[in-house]
Amino acid sequence: MHLATMLATSFGPKDLLIVFSASGATRDIVDICQLAVKSKTPIVGITSRRKNPVEEHSTFHLVAVASDSPVTSGSGASVTSQIALADSIYIDIYGRDEAIRKHVELTTDTIISKHL
């Protein structure tokens, strides 16, 4: 979370912050959202239910498995649905933007030699 907080301080209106939180009320995530709001960074908040601090700060809010209770948040169903949503967002962004594809390929090329 320290790295995420440091990165959030450099965000601006042309960036996009995507945050995942089962409860939408995790202090570290809310703090990062507040930093993004100050810098006018758009936020996509993905939580397991409505009416939470992440939703209040988000430009767009998505609910993934709204049936969790505060006791069961972070359950397998909640985590799986958020991972599936993250994968869908990544695939869509990757498919839409040539610059992003080139950046991912460059990153991949630089680390592929690290594999045995």
Side-chain angles (χ1 to χ4, degrees):
M1 290 312 300
H2 289 95
L3 178 58
T5 302
M6 291 186 315
L7 289 170
T9 62
S10 66
F11 292 166
K14 292 185 177 185
D15 295 307
L16 175 66
L17 174 65
I18 302 174
V19 296
F20 292 86
S21 172
S23 69
T26 305
R27 168 56 46 202
D28 288 335
I29 298 294
V30 173
D31 288 347
I32 290 169
C33 288
Q34 289 170 339
L35 288 170
V37 167
K38 285 181 187 176
S39 64
K40 298 183 180 3
T41 302
I43 302 168
V44 175
I46 301 169
T47 66
S48 293
R49 59 181 153 290
R50 300 184 185 283
K51 308 293 184 203
N52 57 64
V54 167
E55 180 183 15
E56 292 170 13
H57 294 308
S58 295
T59 312
F60 304 99
H61 180 245
L62 303 172
V63 177
V65 183
S67 63
D68 276 352
S69 73
V71 175
T72 62
S73 69
S75 69
S78 176
V79 171
T80 301
S81 68
Q82 289 187 358
I83 290 170
L85 196 48
D87 194 45
S88 296
I89 291 168
Y90 172 80
I91 289 168
D92 188 60
I93 291 171
Y94 182 87
R96 290 176 184 237
D97 193 322
E98 178 67 25
I100 290 173
R101 284 192 301 277
K102 286 183 179 181
H103 183 73
V104 169
E105 289 168 11
L106 177 62
T107 303
T108 302
D109 289 346
T110 61
I111 63 168
I112 200 75
S113 64
K114 304 289 183 194
H115 290 220
L116 297 177

Short mmCIF file of all heavy atoms in Angstrom, two decimals, residues 14-71:
data_model
loop_
_atom_site.label_atom_id
_atom_site.label_comp_id
_atom_site.label_asym_id
_atom_site.label_seq_id
_atom_site.Cartn_x
_atom_site.Cartn_y
_atom_site.Cartn_z
N LYS A 14 -5.34 12.93 -16.59
CA LYS A 14 -5.21 12.06 -17.76
C LYS A 14 -4.96 10.60 -17.37
O LYS A 14 -4.87 9.73 -18.22
CB LYS A 14 -4.09 12.55 -18.67
CG LYS A 14 -4.44 13.86 -19.35
CD LYS A 14 -3.39 14.26 -20.33
CE LYS A 14 -3.81 15.54 -21.04
NZ LYS A 14 -2.88 15.91 -22.10
N ASP A 15 -4.84 10.34 -16.07
CA ASP A 15 -4.64 8.98 -15.57
C ASP A 15 -5.99 8.39 -15.17
O ASP A 15 -7.00 9.09 -15.16
CB ASP A 15 -3.70 8.99 -14.36
CG ASP A 15 -2.29 9.45 -14.74
OD1 ASP A 15 -1.72 8.87 -15.68
OD2 ASP A 15 -1.80 10.39 -14.10
N LEU A 16 -5.98 7.12 -14.81
CA LEU A 16 -7.18 6.45 -14.32
C LEU A 16 -6.76 5.54 -13.17
O LEU A 16 -5.88 4.71 -13.32
CB LEU A 16 -7.84 5.61 -15.42
CG LEU A 16 -9.04 4.77 -14.99
CD1 LEU A 16 -10.21 5.66 -14.58
CD2 LEU A 16 -9.45 3.83 -16.12
N LEU A 17 -7.41 5.73 -12.03
CA LEU A 17 -7.17 4.88 -10.88
C LEU A 17 -8.29 3.86 -10.80
O LEU A 17 -9.47 4.22 -10.79
CB LEU A 17 -7.13 5.72 -9.59
CG LEU A 17 -7.01 4.94 -8.29
CD1 LEU A 17 -5.68 4.20 -8.21
CD2 LEU A 17 -7.18 5.88 -7.10
N ILE A 18 -7.93 2.58 -10.76
CA ILE A 18 -8.91 1.51 -10.58
C ILE A 18 -8.62 0.88 -9.23
O ILE A 18 -7.50 0.41 -9.00
CB ILE A 18 -8.82 0.46 -11.70
CG1 ILE A 18 -9.02 1.12 -13.07
CG2 ILE A 18 -9.84 -0.65 -11.47
CD1 ILE A 18 -8.80 0.18 -14.25
N VAL A 19 -9.60 0.92 -8.33
CA VAL A 19 -9.40 0.37 -6.99
C VAL A 19 -10.38 -0.77 -6.74
O VAL A 19 -11.53 -0.72 -7.18
CB VAL A 19 -9.53 1.44 -5.88
CG1 VAL A 19 -8.45 2.49 -6.01
CG2 VAL A 19 -10.89 2.08 -5.87
N PHE A 20 -9.90 -1.78 -6.05
CA PHE A 20 -10.72 -2.93 -5.66
C PHE A 20 -10.77 -2.97 -4.15
O PHE A 20 -9.74 -2.88 -3.48
CB PHE A 20 -10.09 -4.23 -6.17
CG PHE A 20 -10.11 -4.38 -7.65
CD1 PHE A 20 -9.10 -3.83 -8.43
CD2 PHE A 20 -11.14 -5.07 -8.26
CE1 PHE A 20 -9.13 -3.98 -9.81
CE2 PHE A 20 -11.16 -5.22 -9.64
CZ PHE A 20 -10.16 -4.67 -10.41
N SER A 21 -11.96 -3.13 -3.63
CA SER A 21 -12.13 -3.28 -2.19
C SER A 21 -13.44 -4.02 -1.94
O SER A 21 -14.49 -3.57 -2.42
CB SER A 21 -12.15 -1.92 -1.50
OG SER A 21 -12.50 -2.04 -0.14
N ALA A 22 -13.39 -5.12 -1.25
CA ALA A 22 -14.62 -5.86 -0.97
C ALA A 22 -15.60 -4.98 -0.21
O ALA A 22 -16.75 -4.81 -0.61
CB ALA A 22 -14.32 -7.13 -0.20
N SER A 23 -15.15 -4.35 0.87
CA SER A 23 -16.05 -3.55 1.70
C SER A 23 -16.25 -2.14 1.16
O SER A 23 -17.29 -1.52 1.40
CB SER A 23 -15.49 -3.44 3.12
OG SER A 23 -14.30 -2.65 3.12
N GLY A 24 -15.25 -1.62 0.46
CA GLY A 24 -15.31 -0.23 0.03
C GLY A 24 -14.98 0.73 1.15
O GLY A 24 -15.12 1.95 1.01
N ALA A 25 -14.54 0.20 2.28
CA ALA A 25 -14.27 1.04 3.44
C ALA A 25 -12.90 0.77 4.05
O ALA A 25 -12.66 1.11 5.20
CB ALA A 25 -15.36 0.82 4.49
N THR A 26 -12.00 0.18 3.28
CA THR A 26 -10.65 -0.08 3.78
C THR A 26 -9.87 1.24 3.81
O THR A 26 -9.79 1.94 2.80
CB THR A 26 -9.93 -1.09 2.86
OG1 THR A 26 -10.74 -2.27 2.76
CG2 THR A 26 -8.56 -1.45 3.39
N ARG A 27 -9.32 1.56 4.96
CA ARG A 27 -8.67 2.87 5.17
C ARG A 27 -7.63 3.17 4.09
O ARG A 27 -7.60 4.26 3.53
CB ARG A 27 -8.05 2.92 6.57
CG ARG A 27 -7.10 4.07 6.85
CD ARG A 27 -7.62 5.48 6.64
NE ARG A 27 -8.92 5.73 7.21
CZ ARG A 27 -9.73 6.72 6.80
NH1 ARG A 27 -9.37 7.53 5.82
NH2 ARG A 27 -10.89 6.91 7.35
N ASP A 28 -6.72 2.23 3.79
CA ASP A 28 -5.67 2.48 2.81
C ASP A 28 -6.25 2.80 1.43
O ASP A 28 -5.78 3.71 0.75
CB ASP A 28 -4.73 1.28 2.70
CG ASP A 28 -3.83 1.11 3.91
OD1 ASP A 28 -3.57 2.11 4.61
OD2 ASP A 28 -3.40 -0.02 4.17
N ILE A 29 -7.26 2.07 1.02
CA ILE A 29 -7.88 2.30 -0.29
C ILE A 29 -8.58 3.66 -0.31
O ILE A 29 -8.47 4.42 -1.28
CB ILE A 29 -8.87 1.16 -0.64
CG1 ILE A 29 -8.14 -0.18 -0.75
CG2 ILE A 29 -9.64 1.48 -1.92
CD1 ILE A 29 -7.17 -0.29 -1.88
N VAL A 30 -9.30 3.97 0.74
CA VAL A 30 -10.00 5.27 0.82
C VAL A 30 -8.98 6.42 0.79
O VAL A 30 -9.20 7.42 0.11
CB VAL A 30 -10.90 5.33 2.07
CG1 VAL A 30 -11.49 6.72 2.26
CG2 VAL A 30 -12.02 4.28 1.97
N ASP A 31 -7.86 6.26 1.49
CA ASP A 31 -6.82 7.30 1.47
C ASP A 31 -6.29 7.53 0.06
O ASP A 31 -6.10 8.67 -0.37
CB ASP A 31 -5.65 6.92 2.39
CG ASP A 31 -5.99 7.02 3.87
OD1 ASP A 31 -7.05 7.61 4.21
OD2 ASP A 31 -5.20 6.49 4.68
N ILE A 32 -6.07 6.44 -0.69
CA ILE A 32 -5.59 6.57 -2.07
C ILE A 32 -6.65 7.26 -2.93
O ILE A 32 -6.33 8.11 -3.77
CB ILE A 32 -5.19 5.19 -2.63
CG1 ILE A 32 -3.91 4.71 -1.93
CG2 ILE A 32 -4.99 5.23 -4.15
CD1 ILE A 32 -3.55 3.28 -2.19
N CYS A 33 -7.90 6.92 -2.73
CA CYS A 33 -8.98 7.58 -3.47
C CYS A 33 -9.00 9.08 -3.18
O CYS A 33 -9.19 9.90 -4.08
CB CYS A 33 -10.34 6.97 -3.12
SG CYS A 33 -10.61 5.33 -3.79
N GLN A 34 -8.79 9.45 -1.92
CA GLN A 34 -8.79 10.87 -1.56
C GLN A 34 -7.64 11.61 -2.25
O GLN A 34 -7.81 12.74 -2.70
CB GLN A 34 -8.71 11.02 -0.03
CG GLN A 34 -10.00 10.61 0.65
CD GLN A 34 -9.88 10.53 2.16
OE1 GLN A 34 -8.79 10.40 2.71
NE2 GLN A 34 -11.02 10.58 2.83
N LEU A 35 -6.47 10.97 -2.35
CA LEU A 35 -5.36 11.58 -3.08
C LEU A 35 -5.73 11.78 -4.55
O LEU A 35 -5.41 12.81 -5.15
CB LEU A 35 -4.11 10.69 -2.98
CG LEU A 35 -3.40 10.64 -1.64
CD1 LEU A 35 -2.34 9.54 -1.64
CD2 LEU A 35 -2.77 11.99 -1.32
N ALA A 36 -6.38 10.79 -5.13
CA ALA A 36 -6.77 10.88 -6.54
C ALA A 36 -7.81 11.98 -6.75
O ALA A 36 -7.74 12.70 -7.75
CB ALA A 36 -7.31 9.54 -7.02
N VAL A 37 -8.74 12.11 -5.85
CA VAL A 37 -9.74 13.18 -5.96
C VAL A 37 -9.07 14.54 -5.94
O VAL A 37 -9.40 15.42 -6.74
CB VAL A 37 -10.80 13.06 -4.83
CG1 VAL A 37 -11.66 14.30 -4.74
CG2 VAL A 37 -11.68 11.83 -5.05
N LYS A 38 -8.09 14.73 -5.05
CA LYS A 38 -7.37 16.01 -4.96
C LYS A 38 -6.68 16.36 -6.27
O LYS A 38 -6.61 17.52 -6.64
CB LYS A 38 -6.33 15.96 -3.83
CG LYS A 38 -6.92 16.06 -2.45
CD LYS A 38 -5.80 16.03 -1.41
CE LYS A 38 -6.38 15.97 -0.02
NZ LYS A 38 -5.32 15.83 1.00
N SER A 39 -6.18 15.34 -6.97
CA SER A 39 -5.46 15.59 -8.23
C SER A 39 -6.37 15.47 -9.45
O SER A 39 -5.89 15.45 -10.57
CB SER A 39 -4.28 14.64 -8.36
OG SER A 39 -4.73 13.30 -8.45
N LYS A 40 -7.68 15.38 -9.20
CA LYS A 40 -8.68 15.29 -10.27
C LYS A 40 -8.50 14.06 -11.16
O LYS A 40 -8.79 14.07 -12.34
CB LYS A 40 -8.72 16.56 -11.09
CG LYS A 40 -9.10 17.80 -10.29
CD LYS A 40 -9.19 19.01 -11.16
CE LYS A 40 -9.56 20.30 -10.48
NZ LYS A 40 -9.75 20.41 -9.12
N THR A 41 -7.99 12.97 -10.58
CA THR A 41 -7.82 11.71 -11.29
C THR A 41 -9.15 10.96 -11.28
O THR A 41 -9.73 10.76 -10.22
CB THR A 41 -6.75 10.85 -10.61
OG1 THR A 41 -5.53 11.57 -10.56
CG2 THR A 41 -6.55 9.54 -11.35
N PRO A 42 -9.65 10.55 -12.44
CA PRO A 42 -10.87 9.74 -12.45
C PRO A 42 -10.63 8.40 -11.75
O PRO A 42 -9.53 7.84 -11.82
CB PRO A 42 -11.18 9.54 -13.93
CG PRO A 42 -10.06 10.12 -14.69
CD PRO A 42 -9.12 10.79 -13.77
N ILE A 43 -11.66 7.92 -11.07
CA ILE A 43 -11.55 6.69 -10.29
C ILE A 43 -12.65 5.72 -10.69
O ILE A 43 -13.81 6.10 -10.79
CB ILE A 43 -11.71 6.98 -8.78
CG1 ILE A 43 -10.65 7.99 -8.30
CG2 ILE A 43 -11.65 5.69 -7.96
CD1 ILE A 43 -10.93 8.54 -6.91
N VAL A 44 -12.25 4.47 -10.93
CA VAL A 44 -13.20 3.37 -11.07
C VAL A 44 -13.09 2.58 -9.78
O VAL A 44 -12.05 2.00 -9.48
CB VAL A 44 -12.89 2.47 -12.28
CG1 VAL A 44 -13.83 1.28 -12.31
CG2 VAL A 44 -12.97 3.26 -13.58
N GLY A 45 -14.16 2.58 -9.00
CA GLY A 45 -14.19 1.83 -7.76
C GLY A 45 -14.95 0.54 -7.95
O GLY A 45 -16.07 0.55 -8.47
N ILE A 46 -14.36 -0.57 -7.55
CA ILE A 46 -14.99 -1.87 -7.69
C ILE A 46 -15.09 -2.46 -6.28
O ILE A 46 -14.07 -2.74 -5.65
CB ILE A 46 -14.20 -2.78 -8.63
CG1 ILE A 46 -14.09 -2.11 -10.01
CG2 ILE A 46 -14.86 -4.16 -8.73
CD1 ILE A 46 -13.13 -2.76 -10.95
N THR A 47 -16.31 -2.60 -5.80
CA THR A 47 -16.54 -3.11 -4.45
C THR A 47 -17.60 -4.19 -4.49
O THR A 47 -18.19 -4.46 -5.53
CB THR A 47 -17.00 -1.98 -3.51
OG1 THR A 47 -18.28 -1.51 -3.90
CG2 THR A 47 -16.01 -0.82 -3.49
N SER A 48 -17.85 -4.80 -3.33
CA SER A 48 -18.84 -5.87 -3.25
C SER A 48 -20.22 -5.39 -2.83
O SER A 48 -21.12 -6.19 -2.70
CB SER A 48 -18.37 -6.94 -2.26
OG SER A 48 -17.22 -7.57 -2.78
N ARG A 49 -20.34 -4.10 -2.59
CA ARG A 49 -21.67 -3.56 -2.25
C ARG A 49 -21.72 -2.06 -2.48
O ARG A 49 -20.72 -1.42 -2.71
CB ARG A 49 -22.05 -3.91 -0.82
CG ARG A 49 -21.14 -3.43 0.26
CD ARG A 49 -21.67 -3.90 1.61
NE ARG A 49 -20.68 -4.06 2.63
CZ ARG A 49 -19.74 -4.99 2.70
NH1 ARG A 49 -19.61 -5.85 1.76
NH2 ARG A 49 -18.91 -5.05 3.70
N ARG A 50 -22.92 -1.55 -2.41
CA ARG A 50 -23.16 -0.12 -2.62
C ARG A 50 -23.01 0.65 -1.30
O ARG A 50 -22.91 0.07 -0.24
CB ARG A 50 -24.56 0.11 -3.16
CG ARG A 50 -24.81 -0.57 -4.47
CD ARG A 50 -26.21 -0.20 -4.98
NE ARG A 50 -26.52 -0.93 -6.18
CZ ARG A 50 -26.04 -0.65 -7.38
NH1 ARG A 50 -25.21 0.35 -7.54
NH2 ARG A 50 -26.38 -1.37 -8.43
N LYS A 51 -23.02 1.96 -1.44
CA LYS A 51 -23.03 2.86 -0.28
C LYS A 51 -21.81 2.66 0.61
O LYS A 51 -21.90 2.14 1.72
CB LYS A 51 -24.32 2.69 0.55
CG LYS A 51 -25.58 2.80 -0.25
CD LYS A 51 -25.78 4.20 -0.78
CE LYS A 51 -27.12 4.29 -1.50
NZ LYS A 51 -27.19 5.35 -2.45
N ASN A 52 -20.65 3.08 0.11
CA ASN A 52 -19.42 2.98 0.88
C ASN A 52 -18.50 4.13 0.48
O ASN A 52 -18.76 4.81 -0.52
CB ASN A 52 -18.76 1.61 0.67
CG ASN A 52 -18.47 1.32 -0.78
OD1 ASN A 52 -17.67 2.02 -1.39
ND2 ASN A 52 -19.13 0.32 -1.34
N PRO A 53 -17.45 4.40 1.23
CA PRO A 53 -16.56 5.52 0.91
C PRO A 53 -15.91 5.45 -0.48
O PRO A 53 -15.74 6.48 -1.12
CB PRO A 53 -15.50 5.46 2.02
CG PRO A 53 -16.20 4.81 3.17
CD PRO A 53 -17.13 3.81 2.54
N VAL A 54 -15.57 4.25 -0.93
CA VAL A 54 -14.98 4.14 -2.28
C VAL A 54 -15.99 4.61 -3.32
O VAL A 54 -15.65 5.37 -4.24
CB VAL A 54 -14.48 2.71 -2.57
CG1 VAL A 54 -14.17 2.53 -4.05
CG2 VAL A 54 -13.26 2.39 -1.74
N GLU A 55 -17.24 4.19 -3.20
CA GLU A 55 -18.27 4.64 -4.14
C GLU A 55 -18.41 6.16 -4.11
O GLU A 55 -18.54 6.79 -5.16
CB GLU A 55 -19.62 3.99 -3.82
CG GLU A 55 -20.71 4.44 -4.79
CD GLU A 55 -22.08 3.89 -4.47
OE1 GLU A 55 -22.30 3.38 -3.36
OE2 GLU A 55 -22.95 3.99 -5.35
N GLU A 56 -18.36 6.76 -2.93
CA GLU A 56 -18.50 8.21 -2.81
C GLU A 56 -17.40 8.96 -3.56
O GLU A 56 -17.64 10.02 -4.11
CB GLU A 56 -18.49 8.61 -1.33
CG GLU A 56 -19.72 8.15 -0.57
CD GLU A 56 -19.59 8.34 0.93
OE1 GLU A 56 -18.66 9.07 1.38
OE2 GLU A 56 -20.41 7.76 1.66
N HIS A 57 -16.20 8.39 -3.60
CA HIS A 57 -15.07 9.05 -4.27
C HIS A 57 -14.96 8.69 -5.75
O HIS A 57 -14.24 9.36 -6.48
CB HIS A 57 -13.75 8.67 -3.57
CG HIS A 57 -13.62 9.19 -2.17
ND1 HIS A 57 -13.81 10.50 -1.83
CD2 HIS A 57 -13.33 8.54 -1.02
CE1 HIS A 57 -13.64 10.66 -0.53
NE2 HIS A 57 -13.35 9.47 -0.01
N SER A 58 -15.65 7.65 -6.17
CA SER A 58 -15.47 7.12 -7.52
C SER A 58 -16.19 7.93 -8.59
O SER A 58 -17.31 8.38 -8.38
CB SER A 58 -15.97 5.67 -7.58
OG SER A 58 -15.17 4.85 -6.77
N THR A 59 -15.54 8.05 -9.73
CA THR A 59 -16.17 8.60 -10.91
C THR A 59 -17.16 7.58 -11.46
O THR A 59 -18.26 7.91 -11.87
CB THR A 59 -15.10 8.91 -11.98
OG1 THR A 59 -14.03 9.64 -11.37
CG2 THR A 59 -15.69 9.70 -13.13
N PHE A 60 -16.74 6.32 -11.44
CA PHE A 60 -17.58 5.19 -11.84
C PHE A 60 -17.47 4.13 -10.75
O PHE A 60 -16.39 3.90 -10.23
CB PHE A 60 -17.11 4.59 -13.17
CG PHE A 60 -17.06 5.58 -14.28
CD1 PHE A 60 -15.86 6.18 -14.65
CD2 PHE A 60 -18.22 5.94 -14.98
CE1 PHE A 60 -15.80 7.10 -15.67
CE2 PHE A 60 -18.17 6.87 -16.00
CZ PHE A 60 -16.96 7.46 -16.34
N HIS A 61 -18.59 3.51 -10.44
CA HIS A 61 -18.58 2.49 -9.40
C HIS A 61 -19.20 1.21 -9.96
O HIS A 61 -20.27 1.24 -10.54
CB HIS A 61 -19.38 2.95 -8.17
CG HIS A 61 -19.39 1.95 -7.07
ND1 HIS A 61 -20.54 1.33 -6.64
CD2 HIS A 61 -18.39 1.45 -6.30
CE1 HIS A 61 -20.24 0.50 -5.65
NE2 HIS A 61 -18.95 0.55 -5.43
N LEU A 62 -18.50 0.10 -9.78
CA LEU A 62 -18.99 -1.20 -10.21
C LEU A 62 -19.14 -2.09 -8.98
O LEU A 62 -18.29 -2.08 -8.08
CB LEU A 62 -18.01 -1.85 -11.19
CG LEU A 62 -17.68 -1.04 -12.45
CD1 LEU A 62 -16.56 -1.71 -13.22
CD2 LEU A 62 -18.91 -0.89 -13.31
N VAL A 63 -20.22 -2.85 -8.95
CA VAL A 63 -20.45 -3.78 -7.84
C VAL A 63 -20.21 -5.19 -8.35
O VAL A 63 -20.80 -5.60 -9.34
CB VAL A 63 -21.89 -3.64 -7.27
CG1 VAL A 63 -22.13 -4.67 -6.18
CG2 VAL A 63 -22.12 -2.23 -6.75
N ALA A 64 -19.33 -5.92 -7.67
CA ALA A 64 -19.04 -7.31 -8.01
C ALA A 64 -19.40 -8.16 -6.81
O ALA A 64 -18.80 -8.03 -5.75
CB ALA A 64 -17.57 -7.47 -8.37
N VAL A 65 -20.41 -9.01 -6.93
CA VAL A 65 -20.94 -9.86 -5.88
C VAL A 65 -21.40 -9.02 -4.69
O VAL A 65 -20.70 -8.86 -3.70
CB VAL A 65 -19.95 -10.95 -5.42
CG1 VAL A 65 -20.59 -11.86 -4.37
CG2 VAL A 65 -19.50 -11.80 -6.58
N ALA A 66 -22.58 -8.46 -4.83
CA ALA A 66 -23.12 -7.60 -3.79
C ALA A 66 -23.70 -8.36 -2.62
O ALA A 66 -24.17 -7.77 -1.68
CB ALA A 66 -24.20 -6.70 -4.41
N SER A 67 -23.69 -9.69 -2.65
CA SER A 67 -24.33 -10.47 -1.60
C SER A 67 -23.45 -10.72 -0.38
O SER A 67 -23.91 -11.29 0.59
CB SER A 67 -24.83 -11.80 -2.16
OG SER A 67 -23.73 -12.55 -2.62
N ASP A 68 -22.19 -10.32 -0.41
CA ASP A 68 -21.32 -10.51 0.76
C ASP A 68 -21.80 -9.65 1.92
O ASP A 68 -22.32 -8.56 1.74
CB ASP A 68 -19.88 -10.10 0.44
CG ASP A 68 -19.10 -11.19 -0.24
OD1 ASP A 68 -19.61 -12.31 -0.32
OD2 ASP A 68 -17.98 -10.91 -0.67
N SER A 69 -21.58 -10.14 3.12
CA SER A 69 -21.84 -9.35 4.32
C SER A 69 -20.49 -8.84 4.84
O SER A 69 -19.44 -9.30 4.39
CB SER A 69 -22.51 -10.23 5.38
OG SER A 69 -21.56 -11.12 5.92
N PRO A 70 -20.49 -7.91 5.79
CA PRO A 70 -19.20 -7.45 6.34
C PRO A 70 -18.36 -8.59 6.90
O PRO A 70 -17.13 -8.54 6.88
CB PRO A 70 -19.61 -6.48 7.44
CG PRO A 70 -20.95 -5.98 7.03
CD PRO A 70 -21.61 -7.16 6.32
N VAL A 71 -19.01 -9.65 7.39
CA VAL A 71 -18.28 -10.79 7.96
C VAL A 71 -17.66 -11.65 6.87
O VAL A 71 -16.57 -12.20 7.04
CB VAL A 71 -19.23 -11.64 8.84
CG1 VAL A 71 -18.53 -12.89 9.35
CG2 VAL A 71 -19.75 -10.81 10.00
#
